[in-house]
Amino acid sequence: MGKLQRVQPSRQVIAFIFMMFLSQIRPESLRYSVEEETESGSFVAHLTKDLGLGTGDLAARSVRVMSDDYKQRLLLDPQTGDLLLKEKIDREELCGPIERCVLHFQVFLEMPVQFFQGELWIQDINDHSPAFTDREMLLKIPENSQPGTLFPLKVAQDLDVGSNGLQKYTISPNSHFHVLTRNYSEGKKYPDLVQDKALDREEQPEFSLILMALDGGSPPRSGTITVRILIMDVNDNAPEFVHTPYEVQVLENSPLDSPVLSVLARDADAGNFGSVSYGLFQPSDEIKQTFSINEVTGEIRLRKKLDFEKTKSYHVEIEAIDGGGLSGKGTVFIEVVDVNDNAPELTISSLTSSIPENAPETIVSIFRVGDRDSGDNGKMTCSIPDNVPFILKPTFKNFYTLVTESPLDRESRAEYNITITVTDMGTPRLKTEHAITILVSDVNDNAPAFSQTSYTLLVRENNSPALHIGSVSATDRDSGTNAQITYSLLPNQDPHLPLASLVSINADNGQLFALRALDFEALQAFEFHVGATDQGSPLLSSQALVRVVVLDDNDNPPFVLYPMQNASAPCTELVPRAAEQGYLVTKVVAVDGDSGQNAWLSYQLLKATEPGLFGVWAHNGEVRTARLLSERDAARHRLVVLVKDNGEPPLSASVTLHVLLVDGFSQPYLPLPEVAPERSQGDSLTVYLVIALASVSSLFLFSVLVFVVVRLCRRRRAGAPGVCSVPEGHFPGHLVDISGTGTLSQSYQYEVCLAGDSGSGEFKFLKPIFPNLLIQDSGN
C-alpha cells in the first residue's frame, strides 16, 4: 500500500478502452451454495466442468480466485479443478442481519486473459438462540389502565435469519395479560403485553411473568426474561416527543463524544408525573456502543467512531418516561455522511518480473484496485509514468493489465522501475503507489562489432614461428552467451595465398600469430578477413579486414651484375695510355634484393695493383683513371671493388676487375693533343719529310683498313662464321645501378667483337665509342 498524498493523476485511463476487454468476460455468473460453519477444505464445486475446460487447462492458464471482501476465503486446486473452502464461514459475521448472504468472487485465467464472475450463497443454520439483553425487566402499569392496553416489552435478539430467526413470543399463563407478537419494519418482531382485564393495586400490586422468545429452527431454540409488573397509582398523561421521527446527518470522521442532536418530549401532567427522563428504547448492542443519550437533556452523543464503509445509517428508537411510569416513543434516523478517509487499495494478482526484449504486447502484471469509500470518494483513476514503454488496460471489475506498448531493447535499458499510482476523486484526493521492477531479458539481436573495420599489422621478416603479430577485438552489446565471441579466419579468396600456413588466430581473444618465418623478398604484404561469431541463437557474426605488411631486414648481400663473376674467362677492360685523368674505365653494376635503406649501395676500391692510378666513384660504381697514364705504368692491373649496402649490419660483395693498358687504342677517337703556343722554327725540309712520311703511313693504313673491310663483307655475304659488328641500341633494361633507376646508364655503348671461328662466344675486347663520352664530358 502506498502513502496517502494529494496528487494530480499522471495519466487518465480512457474509459472506452474498458469496452475492448468486455469480450474476455463471461456474461453469466457461476452460482453455488454452502451452509455456514462448514469445515475448511470442504468441496464447493468442480470448476473445470462448469467452465467447460479440459483437464490441466486451469493449471496451464494460471487460474486464480479472488473474493470481493478482500479476504481469501476460497481455494482452488488447479490440478483437479475443485473449488474448496479455505476456512469456516460464519454467515452472521459475514452478512450480519441480511438474510440474503452472498459471497462474490472472481475466477480469472491467463493466456488469454479471461474472467468469470461467481456467487457463493451462504445458507444459514440454526446455531444461535434468541437472547434478551437483560435477565429482568420492570414494567409499571397504572391501576386505571383499561383492558386492551398494550405495553411494549423488551425485544430478544437472534443472529440467525429467515426461518431460523426469531418467530414469536409467549408469556407464562395468567388471567390479566397475554403477549402479542407484532412485525415491524426491517422484519423485526416486537412483543407487546396486552392487558386482559382491569387491575386493582390493592388486590394485587405486583406480577412476575416469564417472557419467552422462540425461533423457527428444528428443534426450536428459545430465550427468556423475567417481566416484573408494578401496579402504579393513576397517571393519565404519557410523555410525547415534539418532533418524531428525527432525521440528522453525521460525518463519519466526527470526533468521539461529539453531539448528534437533542430530542425533546413534553408531559401534560404536573409534579412528578410531569417530569420526563430520556433513554434509548430497546437498543441493540451496536446502538448502545455507538450512541448515548442524556437522561435529563435528551442530547444524543457519539460513543465510538463511525465508519461509512461498515454502516451507512442508523435507526435509533428513543423513549421518554414520566414520573408516573408512562412513556412515549420516538424515532431518530441518523445518516452517516462519507468522507474520503480510505486510500485506494491495489492487489497484485499476477506479476512477471522478467520479460524478453523484442516481444510486443507482453502482459507484465494483472492487478485489482478498489476504494472502500463511496461516490466520488470511491471513484478511481489508475496511471503509470509517461516515460516508460508500458500501458495500462482496464479489463473487468477494477482489474487492470500492465502490458508492453512496444518491443523493448535490453541494450538501451535493461531494467524498469514502474510506479503504479491509483488516485481517488475525493477531497482531498488520496492515492496509493505500488512500485514494481521489471527486468528485460536478452535475446541475440546484436551481431559482434569489430573495433576497426580494417587492421594493419607490421611484421619484420625472418620472424620466429608462432610469433604474436597483433590482435583484433570485437564487442557484442548482448549479454551472457549471446555476447560470448569466437574469432576465426575466413576462407581466403586468393587461391595462391596459403593463408592456413601463414597465420592463425586465437578463437577466444583474437590474437594473431605468424606460423612461419616470412620473407620480404617473396611476400611483401597480404590480406585476409577474420570473423567474430557470438554464441546466441541464431548465431550472428561480422568480419574485418586484416592487412599484414612484412618489413624488410638486411638479409641479402649486394649482387654484382657487371662484370659477371661466374664467366669462364675473366673480364678485361682496355684502357689507352693516352687516356686523360677521369677516363671511364668501366662501371660496376650491382643490385640488392632488399629494399629501402638496406638496398642503398656504395662502392669503394678495396685493392689495386698500383694504388692511386684508378679510383671508384662511391655512388655509381664508375671506375675512372685518377691521373694521366705514363709509359712507366704497368700494362696489366688487377682491381678489387667492394660493394656494400647501407643495412644494419651492412652486407657486402666484391668484384675483381682486370685492366689492360694499350697503345693507340681507338686512336681516331682520342682527343687531339694541344698545340703548343710557340713552335720552334725548324728546318722546313725536316718538316716536309715528316709530313710526307705521315701521309704515306696514313695511306698505307687506310689501304689495309679498306682491304680488311672488303674481306669481312665478302665473308658475311658468303655466310662465313666469323663476324664483327657493332651492337645497336642500349644494354638490357634489367641491369640496375646504385641510383635505383634499375638500368645501366645509357650514356655508354661498347663495340664488341666475337671470334667467329672459335665457336665459344669468347669476349675478345670491349671499347667505348668516344663521341658519346666526349658529349657527356663536354656537358660536365
Side-chain angles (χ1 to χ4, degrees):
M1 295 298 296
K3 299 181 295 183
L4 304 180
Q5 296 182 10
R6 300 188 180 185
V7 298
Q8 293 294 332
S10 60
R11 183 168 63 185
Q12 297 289 339
V13 177
I14 308 303
F16 72 87
I17 302 179
F18 178 80
M19 302 301 296
M20 298 172 58
F21 294 89
L22 289 180
S23 59
Q24 304 173 357
I25 304 169
R26 180 169 175 172
E28 64 272 19
S29 297
L30 305 173
R31 290 186 174 89
Y32 307 100
S33 64
V34 66
E35 290 185 349
E36 66 170 329
E37 302 299 331
T38 302
E39 294 294 328
S40 62
S42 298
F43 174 82
V44 177
H46 189 63
L47 284 185
T48 302
K49 179 180 179 181
D50 294 343
L51 297 180
L53 301 176
T55 304
D57 287 350
L58 295 181
R61 295 180 64 183
S62 302
V63 65
R64 289 177 178 81
V65 175
M66 300 291 292
S67 300
D68 275 358
D69 61 346
Y70 301 92
K71 292 184 180 180
Q72 192 67 26
R73 301 181 185 273
L74 298 175
L75 290 177
L76 178 60
D77 188 344
Q79 303 299 329
T80 64
D82 292 337
L83 183 65
L84 309 175
L85 289 178
K86 183 179 180 182
E87 61 185 10
K88 284 185 179 181
I89 297 179
D90 187 354
R91 192 206 65 80
E92 288 73 24
E93 177 186 354
L94 182 63
C95 299
I98 300 175
E99 183 175 352
R100 183 179 179 272
C101 185
V102 180
L103 176 63
H104 295 275
F105 66 94
Q106 296 83 36
V107 180
F108 64 91
L109 306 121
E110 297 180 11
M111 298 177 294
V113 175
Q114 193 171 10
F115 292 84
F116 299 89
Q117 177 69 41
E119 296 178 358
L120 180 62
W121 290 67
I122 311 300
Q123 298 178 353
D124 183 52
I125 62 174
N126 193 22
D127 57 343
H128 294 88
S129 299
F132 292 91
T133 57
D134 299 318
R135 299 182 62 183
E136 181 181 291
M137 68 171 290
L138 178 62
L139 184 61
K140 297 177 180 181
I141 301 177
E143 64 178 343
N144 61 348
S145 176
Q146 297 298 316
T149 304
L150 301 179
F151 302 94
L153 301 177
K154 288 193 174 183
V155 178
Q157 300 288 335
D158 194 340
L159 298 179
D160 295 326
V161 295
S163 61
N164 294 323
L166 193 151
Q167 298 296 321
K168 65 179 180 178
Y169 294 89
T170 63
I171 200 164
S172 57
N174 65 93
S175 61
H176 289 81
F177 303 95
H178 73 274
V179 170
L180 176 63
T181 302
R182 303 178 62 179
N183 294 324
Y184 280 74
S185 61
E186 302 177 1
K188 290 186 178 181
K189 299 182 183 297
Y190 294 88
D192 286 337
L193 185 65
V194 181
Q195 182 179 340
D196 292 332
K197 67 178 183 177
L199 302 175
D200 187 358
R201 182 178 180 278
E202 286 72 25
E203 180 181 352
Q204 188 176 354
E206 182 176 345
F207 294 85
S208 181
L209 306 175
I210 302 299
L211 179 64
M212 179 181 293
L214 297 171
D215 63 19
S218 179
R221 291 174 175 262
S222 64
T224 61
I225 185 174
T226 299
V227 179
R228 186 165 167 255
I229 303 174
L230 296 178
I231 307 302
M232 305 295 296
D233 284 340
V234 174
N235 179 23
D236 56 355
N237 289 287
E240 293 182 1
F241 284 96
V242 177
H243 301 288
T244 186
Y246 292 91
E247 295 182 358
V248 66
Q249 292 182 336
V250 182
L251 296 177
E252 67 171 325
N253 62 347
S254 298
L256 293 179
D257 201 36
S258 61
V260 177
L261 83 161
S262 294
V263 296
L264 177 62
R266 294 190 176 96
D267 194 311
D269 294 323
N272 185 48
F273 293 133
S275 63
V276 178
S277 63
Y278 301 93
L280 300 175
F281 177 69
Q282 299 183 2
S284 64
D285 291 338
E286 185 179 5
I287 295 295
K288 287 192 298 183
Q289 294 171 5
T290 307
F291 303 100
S292 66
I293 188 170
N294 190 295
E295 293 183 357
V296 178
T297 64
E299 184 181 51
I300 299 177
R301 289 182 175 268
L302 285 178
R303 296 187 61 183
K304 74 171 186 179
K305 297 286 289 184
L306 301 178
D307 189 352
F308 175 85
E309 287 69 40
K310 291 183 178 179
T311 306
K312 296 178 174 56
S313 64
Y314 294 90
H315 182 91
V316 181
E317 297 290 337
I318 57 175
E319 67 175 352
I321 305 175
D322 61 18
L326 297 180
S327 63
K329 305 299 185 289
T331 304
V332 178
F333 293 101
I334 301 175
E335 181 183 356
V336 181
V337 179
D338 184 39
V339 296
N340 195 25
D341 57 346
N342 290 281
E345 299 176 0
L346 187 148
T347 304
I348 297 293
S349 300
S350 173
L351 175 62
T352 303
S353 59
S354 179
I355 58 177
E357 63 176 336
N358 296 336
E361 292 292 329
T362 302
I363 296 178
V364 178
S365 177
I366 300 176
F367 60 92
R368 182 178 67 177
V369 298
D371 196 312
R372 297 178 185 269
D373 295 320
S374 63
D376 289 341
N377 297 330
K379 294 180 180 179
M380 298 164 292
T381 60
C382 191
S383 62
I384 59 175
D386 293 328
N387 58 347
V388 293
F390 299 89
I391 57 175
L392 284 177
K393 293 184 177 181
T395 54
F396 165 72
K397 200 174 182 181
N398 290 336
F399 278 89
Y400 289 85
T401 56
L402 177 65
V403 299
T404 57
E405 185 177 22
S406 59
L408 305 180
D409 185 9
R410 189 204 63 82
E411 289 71 37
S412 299
R413 188 170 179 180
E415 178 180 310
Y416 292 89
N417 293 312
I418 300 177
T419 300
I420 303 174
T421 303
V422 184
T423 307
D424 62 25
M425 304 303 292
T427 302
R429 292 191 175 183
L430 303 180
K431 74 172 184 178
T432 294
E433 293 181 345
H434 186 91
I436 60 176
T437 299
I438 301 172
L439 301 178
V440 183
S441 59
D442 185 51
V443 297
N444 194 28
D445 57 347
N446 289 279
F450 281 94
S451 58
Q452 302 174 213
T453 57
S454 63
Y455 296 81
T456 301
L457 307 179
L458 304 179
V459 184
R460 192 165 293 280
E461 68 173 330
N462 302 322
N463 59 283
S464 59
L467 175 67
H468 176 219
I469 61 175
S471 300
V472 295
S473 176
T475 57
D476 196 311
R477 296 181 63 196
D478 295 319
S479 64
T481 57
N482 295 333
Q484 294 179 2
I485 298 177
T486 300
Y487 299 90
S488 61
L489 296 177
L490 299 182
N492 189 29
Q493 301 297 326
D494 187 358
H496 303 292
L497 180 65
L499 183 62
S501 64
L502 291 177
V503 294
S504 68
I505 188 170
N506 188 310
D508 297 327
N509 54 27
Q511 292 183 347
L512 292 167
F513 299 89
L515 297 179
R516 61 180 175 85
L518 301 178
D519 185 5
F520 174 83
E521 288 70 37
L523 182 65
Q524 297 182 0
F526 60 93
E527 294 179 349
F528 58 92
H529 287 86
V530 295
T533 306
D534 60 26
Q535 302 301 309
S537 179
L539 299 175
L540 300 180
S541 62
S542 62
Q543 63 181 17
L545 176 67
V546 178
R547 175 178 174 82
V548 178
V549 178
V550 183
L551 301 179
D552 184 43
D553 261 353
N554 193 27
D555 58 345
N556 291 283
F559 178 76
V560 178
L561 297 177
Y562 182 84
M564 299 178 61
Q565 298 300 298
N566 56 354
S568 59
C571 179
T572 302
E573 304 291 342
L574 304 180
V575 177
R577 288 186 178 272
E580 295 183 347
Q581 179 182 352
Y583 175 80
L584 176 63
V585 178
T586 186
K587 181 177 182 179
V588 177
V589 180
V591 294
D592 196 306
D594 297 318
S595 66
Q597 181 175 306
N598 297 327
W600 295 354
L601 302 181
S602 61
Y603 304 83
Q604 67 181 67
L605 184 61
L606 188 62
K607 292 181 181 180
T609 303
E610 187 174 344
L613 180 59
F614 298 97
V616 178
W617 286 24
H619 299 297
N620 57 14
E622 292 181 352
V623 179
R624 294 179 181 271
T625 57
R627 60 176 174 81
L628 293 175
L629 303 179
S630 64
E631 295 295 333
R632 294 189 301 272
D633 295 327
R636 293 181 178 276
H637 294 266
R638 180 175 179 272
L639 308 178
V640 178
V641 178
L642 180 67
V643 183
K644 182 172 64 174
D645 61 26
N646 198 36
E648 184 61 37
L651 301 179
S652 61
S654 60
V655 61
T656 301
L657 301 176
H658 296 275
V659 178
L660 178 64
L661 302 183
V662 296
D663 292 327
F665 175 68
S666 298
Q667 188 69 31
Y669 300 97
L670 292 177
L672 296 176
E674 295 181 359
V675 179
E678 294 182 0
R679 294 181 177 272
S680 60
Q681 301 294 325
D683 190 15
S684 59
L685 180 60
T686 302
V687 173
Y688 294 148
L689 289 175
V690 171
I691 294 173
L693 182 61
S695 300
V696 172
S697 299
S698 299
L699 183 60
F700 174 76
L701 290 174
F702 178 77
S703 299
V704 172
L705 181 59
V706 170
F707 175 77
V708 171
V709 170
V710 171
R711 295 284 296 176
L712 289 176
C713 292
R714 287 179 179 178
R715 286 185 179 183
R716 181 176 182 180
R717 293 173 183 175
V723 64
C724 180
S725 63
V726 178
E728 296 181 357
H730 305 296
F731 272 75
H734 66 272
L735 301 180
V736 181
D737 64 0
I738 53 90
S739 64
T741 59
T743 59
L744 185 67
S745 175
Q746 298 178 358
S747 301
Y748 307 102
Q749 294 182 344
Y750 294 85
E751 187 176 340
V752 181
C753 182
L754 301 177
D757 54 356
S758 65
S760 61
E762 181 177 340
F763 185 83
K764 290 302 182 180
F765 66 88
L766 179 69
K767 64 180 180 178
I769 299 176
F770 281 2
N772 289 340
L773 177 64
L774 293 177
I775 293 174
Q776 180 181 5
D777 291 341
S778 64
N780 294 336

